[in-house]
Amino acid sequence: MEIMKSLLFAFVLLSNLFGEDSFITKSEYGEQLYKKPRGIGCSNCHGKGGSGMKITSYLHKKKKKEIIAPSIRFLSAKKIEEGVNKHPSFVPKYFLVEDEYKSLEAFLEKK
Ligand code: HEC
């Protein structure tokens, strides 16, 4: 009986470690990347779900100027990659791979 108990225990332990719960979907990975890529989070500028936001405003020759991070929802992985690589110079550089852009796409269209 003890043996059965420890087998059951081992099974439960293993299925918790390797069960389906421990795998994340593309969109969940995209969410993690979006919030905390290797660098400053996209969410700091593009808002929580990628809907865009005003980063700051300033006066230039007495005219009010705004810096806006546009909405990036529903963009294809390719477009996200292009946008990230065309960021203005005040945005840190990111070195993401194709799969990561696809995960971001999955997250940003589900949000
Ligand atoms: C420090 C602020 C900042 C951070 C952090 C940032 N962005 Fe941006 N992003 C911008 C700004 C500002 C623009 C607009 C650039 C322009 O208008 O030329 C932009 C543009 C883009 C575009 C192009 C959108 C379009 O419609 O052309 C994409 C895509 C994008 N960012 C994705 C991301 C992703 C993904 C991340 C995280 C990995 C990220 N950005 C992090 C500020 C930021």
Side-chain angles (χ1 to χ4, degrees), residues 71-90:
S71 166
I72 53 169
R73 298 196 57 200
F74 310 113
L75 292 182
S76 65
K78 194 99 211 96
K79 287 277 169 217
I80 298 174
E81 181 173 0
E82 279 169 23
V84 166
N85 290 328
K86 275 197 302 207
H87 267 144
S89 56
F90 65 84

Side-chain angles (χ1 to χ4, degrees), residues 33-34 37 40-42 44-46 55 67-72 75 79-81 83-84 86-88 90-92 94 96 104 108:
L33 265 181
Y34 183 75
I40 165 178
C42 323
N44 286 318
C45 294
H46 291 278
I55 304 176
I67 296 184
I68 296 187
S71 166
I72 53 169
L75 292 182
K79 287 277 169 217
I80 298 174
E81 181 173 0
V84 166
K86 275 197 302 207
H87 267 144
F90 65 84
V91 182
Y94 295 94
L96 304 175
L104 280 167
L108 290 168

Side-chain angles (χ1 to χ4, degrees), residues 10-22:
F11 177 76
V12 170
L13 186 78
L14 282 175
S15 51
N16 279 336
L17 281 177
F18 301 108
E20 263 179 60
D21 286 354
S22 60

